[in-house]
Amino acid sequence: MEQEEIIQIRDLHREFLVGSETVHALNGVSFSIRRGEFVSIMGTSGSGKSTLLNILGCLDKPSSGEYIINGTSVNSLNRNQLSTLRNRQIGFVFQNYNLLARTSAIDNVQLPLMYNSEISAKERKERAIAALEAVKLTGRMNHLPNQLSGGQQQRVAIARAIVNDPVIILADEATGNLDTRTSYEIMTLFQELHSKGKTIAFVTHEPDIATFTTRTIKLRDGQIVLDEMNNQCSAAEALAEYEKNMKHTMI
Amino acid sequence: MGILNLIKISLTALARNKGRSFLTMLGIIIGIASVIVMVSLGQSSTQSVRSELSSMGSNMIMIMPSHERRGGVDVGSGNSLNKKDLKLLKENTKYVQYISPSVSTGAQLVFGANNHSGSLQGVSADYLEIRKYAIASGIMFTEEQLKSNAKVCVIGQTVVDALFTNREDPIGQTIRCGRVPMKVVGVLESKGQNQMGQDQDDIVLAPYTTVMTRFSGNKNRDNFNMIFVSAPSEAESEMAATEITYLLRNSHNIKNPDDDDFDIRTQEELLSAMSNVMQLLTYLLTAIAAISLIVGGIGIMNIMYVTVTERTKEIGLRMAIGAKRKDVMLQFLSESVILSLLGGIIGIIIGVILAFVVSSALHWPPAISQAAIGASFLVCVATGVFFGWYPARKAANMDPITALRYE
């Protein structure tokens, strides 16, 4: 089944001026992401994956090349239009969760909708509750971030990323701060979201995390060196396996 | 983002740092409270001066001979006011209700073994009405006594206390003023000190005829030191003054106002002169209070800077999930405005309470300046915007990528 390409990138370049030297962080990157794909973007540090993610997230603009998200060419947009685009089309999940301190889980999840004046307070709350249900945190809606574990905080962050029903969820090392077990749990959650039709781009440097996705794009020195489909492993199974092993070691 | 959301976000952010928010507000609180207190106290002191002056007789007019110059030398008060002028004013004025000449001389007052150095004032019976004196016991001397140069007097409370130490009834007693024995016919009700701190009860009133004929200390037997006049009302005192000026110029043959040989002073002039001094003082104190407001504003700016830096990550996140520059700017601006406005409201409340307490302790009429309260509100909003602007702009201009990575 041929799916619509929601992300199209053609010959993307991004250069930074460091002192008097020009650094080519991205050097002619082209690929597309179809609706419903679960893509992992891999690469060592300095490979350009963060730069790529910033451009995908409309936080940064390419020096040259074209980026079209959901039919909109990003190059021609100004700062305010980019903000609106991020607000409606993109969901971010960060390595360090980036939740507002001393703010309840539900208020954290509502945050993106606060910047959308078309959504009423009532609808905002309903959607936040639905998002928290989707990440299985219904019982902890009024907890503050410091009352939640790392995994739970990341779940709140994921709920925040899906609350505006984005066309793509961008996760930046979303399991980087978590232990193996919790990482598997979070990946299970991502797989569930994926199975419900969400498009996800997942930046990581851990190969085993990448195996839970459907496609891997590998970057080196600002260029794509590998772009292949995966035999997706089930994170839930990996979790069960891991727990069994843990029991063995304990015995 | 709606205005309600904005206020909610700002309030939550401020509530997260209650102690810091309060300390920041303290500068504004002190500034606003002191402005309110200063302006209110300035107003109530002006009112108290006004009411005291009008208790002295606000429609009173004083006519004095001008200083006389002979060959370029000032020789003191002239001798331009005499019985002829008194008669003229009595008969020809429309706006003069009471009129009394005044001749005064110092005199050693003696009764029995007690003596007191006081001043003897020769006046007519109208003097009581003009100066708002009242008789406490006895009577004022009569028109007949005035005509016959009778040796009678009415004395103030201070004189009574000094001479009649054994609590004798002064009425009917004879005291000596210098060498002249005078019979006390009345005692004045106590008036206390006036605004300048003068004891208004240290006074001996006698018929002016008596003082002019029997006290040789008076340099000229035909001239008055002053003529006191009162108009029927405060409003008419200006007209009375004009009338008197016209009559006196005519009778003294004065063509050029610069050559006037008399001065006319209405209470209104005195009042406005005093109010001016009070006003100047109020302005000065308010200016000092305003400086503390500026200091408070700088405090807000300082804290807003700290807040913006501290919340760099939050700013980055908000931008990443769709906050526009305008949204971030407004968020921090509304925080600083709320800070200063809240401080202002607390300051107004404290200021009003303080103004009440101080004015009631000083027995001044309480006056709360509504203009000052209104102005304080505006100043608070302006302070919040002015001092919050720069930090808010700093926040709004952050690059979301760098802000998100900020540790």
Side-chain angles (χ1 to χ4, degrees), chain B residues 9-57:
Chain B
I9 288 177
S10 310
L11 280 178
T12 356
L14 291 176
R16 266 184 232 148
N17 281 305
K18 286 192 192 71
R20 191 160 81 185
S21 302
F22 176 74
L23 286 176
T24 313
M25 279 192 290
L26 208 55
I28 298 288
I29 294 175
I30 293 171
I32 291 288
S34 43
V35 168
I36 300 271
V37 171
M38 292 309 165
V39 175
S40 298
L41 285 187
Q43 280 192 351
S44 54
S45 72
T46 312
Q47 272 181 27
S48 104
V49 169
R50 211 166 242 282
S51 69
E52 224 162 298
L53 277 184
S54 69
S55 83
M56 251 166 72

Short mmCIF file of all heavy atoms in Angstrom, two decimals, chain B residues 9-57:
data_model
loop_
_atom_site.label_atom_id
_atom_site.label_comp_id
_atom_site.label_asym_id
_atom_site.label_seq_id
_atom_site.Cartn_x
_atom_site.Cartn_y
_atom_site.Cartn_z
N ILE B 9 -0.67 31.82 33.63
CA ILE B 9 0.72 31.35 33.51
C ILE B 9 1.64 32.21 34.37
O ILE B 9 2.48 31.71 35.13
CB ILE B 9 1.17 31.37 32.03
CG1 ILE B 9 0.47 30.25 31.27
CG2 ILE B 9 2.68 31.22 31.92
CD1 ILE B 9 0.79 30.23 29.80
N SER B 10 1.45 33.54 34.29
CA SER B 10 2.32 34.44 35.05
C SER B 10 2.14 34.24 36.55
O SER B 10 3.11 34.19 37.30
CB SER B 10 2.00 35.89 34.70
OG SER B 10 1.98 36.06 33.33
N LEU B 11 0.88 34.12 36.96
CA LEU B 11 0.63 33.96 38.40
C LEU B 11 1.25 32.67 38.91
O LEU B 11 1.85 32.65 39.99
CB LEU B 11 -0.87 33.97 38.67
CG LEU B 11 -1.52 35.36 38.72
CD1 LEU B 11 -3.02 35.24 38.94
CD2 LEU B 11 -0.89 36.21 39.82
N THR B 12 1.10 31.58 38.13
CA THR B 12 1.70 30.31 38.57
C THR B 12 3.21 30.46 38.68
O THR B 12 3.82 29.98 39.64
CB THR B 12 1.40 29.17 37.58
OG1 THR B 12 0.55 29.65 36.56
CG2 THR B 12 0.82 27.98 38.26
N ALA B 13 3.80 31.12 37.68
CA ALA B 13 5.25 31.29 37.69
C ALA B 13 5.68 32.10 38.91
O ALA B 13 6.67 31.77 39.57
CB ALA B 13 5.71 31.98 36.41
N LEU B 14 4.92 33.15 39.24
CA LEU B 14 5.27 33.98 40.40
C LEU B 14 5.06 33.21 41.69
O LEU B 14 5.83 33.33 42.64
CB LEU B 14 4.43 35.26 40.40
CG LEU B 14 4.76 36.24 39.28
CD1 LEU B 14 3.82 37.42 39.31
CD2 LEU B 14 6.20 36.71 39.39
N ALA B 15 3.99 32.40 41.72
CA ALA B 15 3.69 31.65 42.94
C ALA B 15 4.77 30.61 43.22
O ALA B 15 4.98 30.22 44.36
CB ALA B 15 2.32 30.98 42.81
N ARG B 16 5.47 30.15 42.16
CA ARG B 16 6.54 29.17 42.35
C ARG B 16 7.66 29.75 43.21
O ARG B 16 8.35 29.04 43.91
CB ARG B 16 7.11 28.76 41.00
CG ARG B 16 6.46 27.54 40.45
CD ARG B 16 7.16 27.15 39.18
NE ARG B 16 6.18 27.00 38.14
CZ ARG B 16 6.40 27.26 36.86
NH1 ARG B 16 7.57 27.72 36.47
NH2 ARG B 16 5.47 27.06 35.98
N ASN B 17 7.85 31.06 43.13
CA ASN B 17 8.91 31.70 43.91
C ASN B 17 8.30 32.77 44.80
O ASN B 17 8.52 33.96 44.61
CB ASN B 17 9.94 32.35 42.98
CG ASN B 17 10.89 31.33 42.43
OD1 ASN B 17 11.53 30.60 43.19
ND2 ASN B 17 10.98 31.26 41.13
N LYS B 18 7.50 32.33 45.76
CA LYS B 18 6.75 33.29 46.57
C LYS B 18 7.65 34.27 47.28
O LYS B 18 7.44 35.48 47.24
CB LYS B 18 5.88 32.55 47.59
CG LYS B 18 4.68 31.89 46.98
CD LYS B 18 3.70 31.43 48.04
CE LYS B 18 2.65 30.53 47.46
NZ LYS B 18 3.14 29.18 47.06
N GLY B 19 8.69 33.73 47.94
CA GLY B 19 9.58 34.60 48.71
C GLY B 19 10.24 35.64 47.84
O GLY B 19 10.25 36.83 48.16
N ARG B 20 10.74 35.17 46.71
CA ARG B 20 11.44 36.08 45.81
C ARG B 20 10.49 37.13 45.24
O ARG B 20 10.81 38.31 45.18
CB ARG B 20 12.08 35.28 44.68
CG ARG B 20 13.03 36.10 43.89
CD ARG B 20 13.97 35.22 43.13
NE ARG B 20 13.34 34.72 41.93
CZ ARG B 20 13.92 33.85 41.12
NH1 ARG B 20 15.09 33.36 41.41
NH2 ARG B 20 13.31 33.44 40.04
N SER B 21 9.29 36.68 44.86
CA SER B 21 8.31 37.61 44.32
C SER B 21 7.99 38.69 45.34
O SER B 21 7.91 39.88 45.01
CB SER B 21 7.02 36.89 43.94
OG SER B 21 7.30 35.88 43.01
N PHE B 22 7.83 38.28 46.60
CA PHE B 22 7.48 39.26 47.63
C PHE B 22 8.60 40.26 47.83
O PHE B 22 8.36 41.47 47.89
CB PHE B 22 7.16 38.55 48.95
CG PHE B 22 6.89 39.52 50.07
CD1 PHE B 22 5.70 40.22 50.10
CD2 PHE B 22 7.84 39.77 51.04
CE1 PHE B 22 5.46 41.14 51.10
CE2 PHE B 22 7.61 40.69 52.04
CZ PHE B 22 6.41 41.37 52.08
N LEU B 23 9.83 39.77 47.91
CA LEU B 23 10.96 40.69 48.12
C LEU B 23 11.08 41.67 46.96
O LEU B 23 11.42 42.83 47.16
CB LEU B 23 12.26 39.90 48.29
CG LEU B 23 12.38 39.20 49.63
CD1 LEU B 23 13.64 38.37 49.68
CD2 LEU B 23 12.38 40.21 50.77
N THR B 24 10.79 41.16 45.75
CA THR B 24 10.85 42.05 44.59
C THR B 24 9.79 43.13 44.70
O THR B 24 10.03 44.29 44.41
CB THR B 24 10.63 41.25 43.31
OG1 THR B 24 11.45 40.10 43.37
CG2 THR B 24 10.98 42.06 42.09
N MET B 25 8.60 42.70 45.15
CA MET B 25 7.49 43.65 45.27
C MET B 25 7.76 44.68 46.35
O MET B 25 7.25 45.78 46.29
CB MET B 25 6.20 42.89 45.60
CG MET B 25 5.53 42.28 44.41
SD MET B 25 3.89 41.73 44.84
CE MET B 25 4.23 40.37 45.90
N LEU B 26 8.57 44.30 47.35
CA LEU B 26 8.78 45.17 48.51
C LEU B 26 9.22 46.57 48.09
O LEU B 26 8.75 47.57 48.63
CB LEU B 26 9.84 44.53 49.42
CG LEU B 26 9.74 44.89 50.89
CD1 LEU B 26 8.36 44.57 51.42
CD2 LEU B 26 10.79 44.14 51.68
N GLY B 27 10.10 46.64 47.10
CA GLY B 27 10.55 47.94 46.62
C GLY B 27 9.38 48.79 46.15
O GLY B 27 9.26 49.96 46.52
N ILE B 28 8.51 48.16 45.37
CA ILE B 28 7.33 48.88 44.85
C ILE B 28 6.39 49.22 46.00
O ILE B 28 5.85 50.32 46.07
CB ILE B 28 6.62 48.00 43.80
CG1 ILE B 28 7.54 47.74 42.62
CG2 ILE B 28 5.32 48.65 43.35
CD1 ILE B 28 7.77 48.92 41.73
N ILE B 29 6.22 48.26 46.91
CA ILE B 29 5.31 48.49 48.04
C ILE B 29 5.76 49.72 48.81
O ILE B 29 4.97 50.63 49.07
CB ILE B 29 5.28 47.25 48.97
CG1 ILE B 29 4.64 46.07 48.25
CG2 ILE B 29 4.52 47.57 50.25
CD1 ILE B 29 4.66 44.77 49.03
N ILE B 30 7.05 49.77 49.14
CA ILE B 30 7.56 50.90 49.92
C ILE B 30 7.41 52.20 49.13
O ILE B 30 6.95 53.21 49.65
CB ILE B 30 9.03 50.66 50.31
CG1 ILE B 30 9.12 49.50 51.30
CG2 ILE B 30 9.65 51.91 50.91
CD1 ILE B 30 10.53 49.03 51.58
N GLY B 31 7.76 52.14 47.85
CA GLY B 31 7.66 53.33 47.02
C GLY B 31 6.25 53.88 46.96
O GLY B 31 6.01 55.04 47.24
N ILE B 32 5.30 53.00 46.63
CA ILE B 32 3.91 53.45 46.47
C ILE B 32 3.36 53.90 47.82
O ILE B 32 2.72 54.96 47.93
CB ILE B 32 3.04 52.31 45.89
CG1 ILE B 32 3.42 52.05 44.44
CG2 ILE B 32 1.56 52.65 46.01
CD1 ILE B 32 3.00 53.12 43.46
N ALA B 33 3.62 53.11 48.87
CA ALA B 33 3.09 53.48 50.19
C ALA B 33 3.60 54.86 50.58
O ALA B 33 2.84 55.69 51.08
CB ALA B 33 3.49 52.43 51.23
N SER B 34 4.90 55.13 50.34
CA SER B 34 5.40 56.44 50.77
C SER B 34 4.84 57.57 49.91
O SER B 34 4.56 58.64 50.44
CB SER B 34 6.93 56.46 50.81
OG SER B 34 7.48 55.85 49.70
N VAL B 35 4.62 57.30 48.63
CA VAL B 35 3.99 58.35 47.81
C VAL B 35 2.61 58.68 48.37
O VAL B 35 2.26 59.84 48.58
CB VAL B 35 3.88 57.91 46.32
CG1 VAL B 35 2.97 58.85 45.56
CG2 VAL B 35 5.25 57.88 45.67
N ILE B 36 1.83 57.63 48.64
CA ILE B 36 0.46 57.84 49.13
C ILE B 36 0.49 58.59 50.47
O ILE B 36 -0.24 59.56 50.68
CB ILE B 36 -0.26 56.48 49.32
CG1 ILE B 36 -0.33 55.74 47.99
CG2 ILE B 36 -1.63 56.67 49.94
CD1 ILE B 36 -1.53 56.02 47.15
N VAL B 37 1.39 58.15 51.37
CA VAL B 37 1.45 58.79 52.68
C VAL B 37 1.84 60.26 52.53
O VAL B 37 1.20 61.14 53.11
CB VAL B 37 2.46 58.06 53.60
CG1 VAL B 37 2.70 58.84 54.86
CG2 VAL B 37 1.93 56.68 53.94
N MET B 38 2.87 60.52 51.73
CA MET B 38 3.34 61.90 51.58
C MET B 38 2.26 62.79 51.03
O MET B 38 1.99 63.86 51.55
CB MET B 38 4.55 61.94 50.63
CG MET B 38 5.80 61.30 51.18
SD MET B 38 6.19 61.91 52.80
CE MET B 38 7.35 60.70 53.33
N VAL B 39 1.64 62.35 49.94
CA VAL B 39 0.64 63.20 49.30
C VAL B 39 -0.56 63.39 50.23
O VAL B 39 -1.05 64.51 50.41
CB VAL B 39 0.20 62.59 47.95
CG1 VAL B 39 -0.92 63.41 47.35
CG2 VAL B 39 1.37 62.55 46.99
N SER B 40 -0.99 62.30 50.87
CA SER B 40 -2.15 62.41 51.75
C SER B 40 -1.86 63.31 52.93
O SER B 40 -2.67 64.16 53.30
CB SER B 40 -2.57 61.02 52.24
OG SER B 40 -2.93 60.24 51.15
N LEU B 41 -0.68 63.13 53.55
CA LEU B 41 -0.35 63.97 54.70
C LEU B 41 -0.20 65.42 54.28
O LEU B 41 -0.61 66.33 55.01
CB LEU B 41 0.93 63.48 55.37
CG LEU B 41 0.78 62.22 56.21
CD1 LEU B 41 2.06 61.93 56.96
CD2 LEU B 41 -0.38 62.34 57.17
N GLY B 42 0.36 65.64 53.10
CA GLY B 42 0.48 67.01 52.59
C GLY B 42 -0.90 67.65 52.49
O GLY B 42 -1.12 68.77 52.94
N GLN B 43 -1.84 66.86 51.96
CA GLN B 43 -3.19 67.40 51.83
C GLN B 43 -3.84 67.66 53.16
O GLN B 43 -4.46 68.70 53.37
CB GLN B 43 -4.06 66.41 51.04
CG GLN B 43 -3.82 66.51 49.56
CD GLN B 43 -4.87 65.75 48.78
OE1 GLN B 43 -5.67 65.02 49.36
NE2 GLN B 43 -4.86 65.93 47.48
N SER B 44 -3.68 66.70 54.10
CA SER B 44 -4.39 66.92 55.35
C SER B 44 -3.75 68.05 56.15
O SER B 44 -4.44 68.76 56.86
CB SER B 44 -4.51 65.62 56.16
OG SER B 44 -3.28 65.04 56.36
N SER B 45 -2.42 68.25 56.01
CA SER B 45 -1.82 69.36 56.75
C SER B 45 -2.28 70.69 56.14
O SER B 45 -2.55 71.65 56.86
CB SER B 45 -0.30 69.27 56.74
OG SER B 45 0.21 69.57 55.48
N THR B 46 -2.41 70.75 54.82
CA THR B 46 -2.92 71.96 54.20
C THR B 46 -4.33 72.25 54.70
O THR B 46 -4.67 73.38 55.04
CB THR B 46 -2.95 71.80 52.66
OG1 THR B 46 -1.70 71.29 52.25
CG2 THR B 46 -3.21 73.12 51.98
N GLN B 47 -5.13 71.18 54.77
CA GLN B 47 -6.50 71.37 55.26
C GLN B 47 -6.51 71.86 56.69
O GLN B 47 -7.32 72.71 57.07
CB GLN B 47 -7.25 70.04 55.19
CG GLN B 47 -7.94 69.83 53.85
CD GLN B 47 -8.70 68.53 53.82
OE1 GLN B 47 -9.13 68.04 54.86
NE2 GLN B 47 -8.85 67.98 52.64
N SER B 48 -5.59 71.33 57.50
CA SER B 48 -5.59 71.73 58.91
C SER B 48 -5.16 73.18 59.04
O SER B 48 -5.71 73.93 59.84
CB SER B 48 -4.72 70.78 59.73
OG SER B 48 -3.50 71.38 60.06
N VAL B 49 -4.19 73.60 58.22
CA VAL B 49 -3.77 75.01 58.24
C VAL B 49 -4.94 75.90 57.83
O VAL B 49 -5.23 76.91 58.45
CB VAL B 49 -2.58 75.24 57.28
CG1 VAL B 49 -2.32 76.72 57.10
CG2 VAL B 49 -1.35 74.56 57.82
N ARG B 50 -5.62 75.44 56.80
CA ARG B 50 -6.76 76.20 56.29
C ARG B 50 -7.84 76.38 57.37
O ARG B 50 -8.34 77.48 57.59
CB ARG B 50 -7.36 75.44 55.11
CG ARG B 50 -7.99 76.30 54.07
CD ARG B 50 -8.21 75.46 52.82
NE ARG B 50 -7.45 76.00 51.71
CZ ARG B 50 -7.81 77.06 51.02
NH1 ARG B 50 -8.90 77.72 51.34
NH2 ARG B 50 -7.09 77.50 50.02
N SER B 51 -8.15 75.30 58.04
CA SER B 51 -9.23 75.39 59.02
C SER B 51 -8.78 76.24 60.20
O SER B 51 -9.56 76.98 60.78
CB SER B 51 -9.67 74.00 59.47
OG SER B 51 -8.67 73.41 60.24
N GLU B 52 -7.47 76.17 60.53
CA GLU B 52 -6.99 76.99 61.64
C GLU B 52 -7.01 78.47 61.28
O GLU B 52 -7.38 79.31 62.08
CB GLU B 52 -5.58 76.55 62.03
CG GLU B 52 -5.42 76.46 63.52
CD GLU B 52 -4.22 75.64 63.89
OE1 GLU B 52 -4.19 74.44 63.55
OE2 GLU B 52 -3.32 76.20 64.49
N LEU B 53 -6.61 78.73 60.04
CA LEU B 53 -6.61 80.13 59.61
C LEU B 53 -8.03 80.67 59.57
O LEU B 53 -8.27 81.82 59.94
CB LEU B 53 -5.98 80.26 58.23
CG LEU B 53 -4.46 80.33 58.21
CD1 LEU B 53 -3.96 80.55 56.80
CD2 LEU B 53 -3.95 81.44 59.12
N SER B 54 -8.97 79.86 59.15
CA SER B 54 -10.32 80.39 59.07
C SER B 54 -10.92 80.53 60.47
O SER B 54 -11.81 81.33 60.69
CB SER B 54 -11.20 79.55 58.16
OG SER B 54 -11.43 78.31 58.74
N SER B 55 -10.38 79.77 61.44
CA SER B 55 -10.83 79.97 62.82
C SER B 55 -10.30 81.30 63.35
O SER B 55 -10.82 81.88 64.28
CB SER B 55 -10.38 78.83 63.71
OG SER B 55 -9.06 79.04 64.13
N MET B 56 -9.24 81.78 62.75
CA MET B 56 -8.72 83.11 63.09
C MET B 56 -9.57 84.18 62.44
O MET B 56 -9.44 85.36 62.72
CB MET B 56 -7.29 83.25 62.56
CG MET B 56 -6.22 83.26 63.61
SD MET B 56 -4.63 83.02 62.81
CE MET B 56 -4.43 84.59 62.02
N GLY B 57 -10.42 83.82 61.55
CA GLY B 57 -11.24 84.78 60.83
C GLY B 57 -10.79 84.86 59.40
O GLY B 57 -9.87 85.60 59.06
#
